[in-house]
């Protein structure tokens, strides 16, 4: 009796397994067929707006195929599984979808009264097609600024990053022309009465001034019996500021866009000195000799100059230029 019961249970399990496998096979082929037919229909239309959906359909085909590749061999055999190589079609669809979406977003951003929801949908699609698209951050920022009436701007040095006195102020101080170019009204201090559309944080993670460099090259000049040793000096010093322009949603504080920025300031000056007779020197050398040596800028002053350049980059980024 017990053996009979075990046989019945085993038979039932086998029947259920066969039915499940059959259903899996049918579902797998039906889904693939639906995607394939839809792709053919879209391509046949010849319309430029088909490519985001074509890309999504190819992604579905590839994902389904990869999922089936991890199934037991008996299941793969039952559905006549064949590994699909869709990379060429997928990459082609991705490139065409990116080109289409970039063009539509750029077109919408230039229009007055463009459908904001539609443009945001295009941007969302572009992020799905290629999260690393080179213009994705630019488009997100442009849409944020298009919708924001007021923006709160501040500066946050990363821990361990020292900013000389006055540098933080230079990073957030926009001139009248820059403020006019930024579509939103800029605020530097939070006010309860203002409903900010965006909070912008200038995060500085690298601030450095290079060493003073004096590169000297000496050569001789002569005029008859007169000689002179001329030394050309090239003074140089650089400063670099690196950071991120982070934009946050005011209510939840979610990071919306993070854009890397880098600014440099360079001091460069040339002058010459001689040992010997000035009468031995050429006119060109005499002209250089009229330039007096200058002192190197302090670290604080050249970093402040770099901060002003960084501020210009922030203004251009916020204004979409």
């Amino acid at each position: 009796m017990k053996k009979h019961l075990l046989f019945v249970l085993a038979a039932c399990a086998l029947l259920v397994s066969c039915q499940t496998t059959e259903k899996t096979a049918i579902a797998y082929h039906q889904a693939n067929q639906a995607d394939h037919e839809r792709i053919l229909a879209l391509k046949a239309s010849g319309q430029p707006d088909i490519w985001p959906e074509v890309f999504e359909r190819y992604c579905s085909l590839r994902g389904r195929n990869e999922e089936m590749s991890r199934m037991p061999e008996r299941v793969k055999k039952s559905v006549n599984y064949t590994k699909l190589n869709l990379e060429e079609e997928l990459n082609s669809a991705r490139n065409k979808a990116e080109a289409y979406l970039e063009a539509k977003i750029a077109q919408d951003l230039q229009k007055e009264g463009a459908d904001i929801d539609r443009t945001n949908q295009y941007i969302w699609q572009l992020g799905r097609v290629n999260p690393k698209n080179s213009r994705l951050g630019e488009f997100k920022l442009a849409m944020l600024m298009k919708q924001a009436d007021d923006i709160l701007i501040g500066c946050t040095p990363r821990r361990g990053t020292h900013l000389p006195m006055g540098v933080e102020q230079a990073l957030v101080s926009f001139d009248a022309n820059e403020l006019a170019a930024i579509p939103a009204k800029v605020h530097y201090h939070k006010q309860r009465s203002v409903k900010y559309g965006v909070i912008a944080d200038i995060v500085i993670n690298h601030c450095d001034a290079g060493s003073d460099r004096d590169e000297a090259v000496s050569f001789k000049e002569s005029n008859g019996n007169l000689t002179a040793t001329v030394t050309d000096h090239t003074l140089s010093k650089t400063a670099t500021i690196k950071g991120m322009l982070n934009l946050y949603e005011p209510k939840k504080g979610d990071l919306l866009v993070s854009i890397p920025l880098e600014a440099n300031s360079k001091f460069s000056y040339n002058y010459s000195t001689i040992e010997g007779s000035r009468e031995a020197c050429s006119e060109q050398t005499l002209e250089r000799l009229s330039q007096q040596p200058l002192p190197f800028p302090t670290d604080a002053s050249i970093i402040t100059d770099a901060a002003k350049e960084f501020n210009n980059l922030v203004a251009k980024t916020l204004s979409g230029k």
Side-chain angles (χ1 to χ4, degrees):
M1 181 68 179
K2 186 179 291 186
K3 289 183 179 180
H4 179 70
L5 179 60
L6 290 174
F7 175 78
V8 172
L9 291 175
C12 289
L14 180 62
L15 179 61
V16 170
S17 176
C18 291
Q19 290 176 340
T20 301
T21 301
E22 184 180 357
K23 289 180 180 178
T24 300
I26 293 172
Y28 177 73
H29 288 299
Q30 284 181 340
N32 282 351
Q33 185 66 23
D35 281 335
H36 180 67
E37 290 178 356
R38 179 60 177 165
I39 289 171
L40 291 178
L42 288 168
K43 288 183 176 181
S45 72
Q47 297 301 312
D49 61 351
I50 65 169
W51 294 108
E53 184 180 348
V54 170
F55 172 77
E56 293 289 348
R57 295 279 180 171
Y58 275 127
C59 285
S60 296
L61 281 168
R62 183 180 65 174
R64 199 178 300 117
N65 192 253
E66 289 178 349
E67 185 178 347
M68 184 58 70
S69 72
R70 296 187 288 270
M71 299 292 283
E73 287 299 322
R74 61 178 179 80
V75 176
K76 290 193 284 187
K77 186 176 181 180
S78 69
V79 300
N80 295 321
Y81 169 76
T82 301
K83 183 174 178 58
L84 300 177
N85 185 2
L86 298 170
E87 291 308 309
E88 185 176 346
E89 292 89 343
L90 196 66
N91 288 333
S92 176
R94 177 188 287 111
N95 292 337
K96 291 175 181 177
E98 279 190 83
Y100 168 76
L101 291 169
E102 284 182 8
K104 293 298 290 184
I105 295 167
Q107 185 181 58
D108 277 4
L109 289 173
Q110 294 298 319
K111 286 182 181 177
E112 288 294 334
D115 188 331
I116 289 177
D117 290 338
R118 182 186 65 183
T119 310
N120 279 325
Q121 177 67 18
Y122 287 149
I123 292 173
W124 177 82
Q125 285 182 302
L126 183 60
R128 281 182 59 85
V129 170
N130 184 6
K132 296 182 179 180
N133 179 276
S134 61
R135 301 192 67 186
L136 186 59
E138 167 197 338
F139 289 146
K140 286 183 177 180
L141 174 59
M143 279 305 296
L144 288 173
M145 298 306 297
K146 198 176 184 71
Q147 298 172 79
D149 294 324
D150 295 87
I151 179 172
L152 179 63
I153 295 181
C155 179
T156 306
R158 281 277 170 84
R159 182 176 296 180
T161 303
H162 171 69
L163 298 183
M165 184 177 297
V167 170
E168 186 171 338
Q169 183 65 27
L171 287 166
V172 296
S173 296
F174 301 98
D175 62 31
N177 290 332
E178 290 173 331
L179 288 174
I182 298 173
K185 183 180 179 181
V186 175
H187 300 258
Y188 301 105
H189 303 286
K190 190 173 184 179
Q191 302 175 40
R192 291 185 179 181
S193 59
V194 178
K195 186 178 180 181
Y196 299 104
V198 178
I199 294 178
D201 188 18
I202 301 171
V203 181
I204 303 301
N205 49 42
H206 178 86
C207 177
D208 179 59
S211 57
D212 299 348
R213 299 185 63 182
D214 182 351
E215 297 178 349
V217 177
S218 297
F219 57 93
K220 291 187 179 294
E221 289 192 351
S222 62
N223 183 7
N225 294 327
L226 302 175
T227 62
T229 298
V230 182
T231 302
D232 286 342
H233 296 264
T234 300
L235 307 182
S236 63
K237 185 173 184 175
T238 59
T240 301
I241 293 181
K242 298 179 182 179
M244 309 291 294
L245 176 60
N246 291 339
L247 302 183
Y248 296 89
E249 193 280 328
K251 291 184 179 179
K252 297 181 180 179
D254 294 337
L255 179 62
L256 302 172
V257 182
S258 184
I259 300 172
L261 298 174
E262 177 179 341
N264 300 282
S265 177
K266 184 174 182 179
F267 165 79
S268 182
Y269 184 75
N270 300 305
Y271 72 97
S272 298
T273 59
I274 64 165
E275 291 182 4
S277 174
R278 293 177 64 92
E279 285 75 14
C281 297
S282 65
E283 291 185 7
Q284 185 179 7
T285 297
L286 291 173
E287 185 177 343
R288 289 200 304 270
L289 290 173
S290 65
Q291 295 178 275
Q292 298 300 311
L294 292 178
F296 285 96
T298 63
D299 288 358
S301 66
I302 197 168
I303 288 175
T304 300
D305 288 341
K308 292 175 181 177
E309 289 300 316
F310 197 97
N311 171 264
N312 290 338
L313 290 178
V314 171
K316 288 179 181 177
T317 303
L318 293 176
S319 62
K321 294 183 178 179

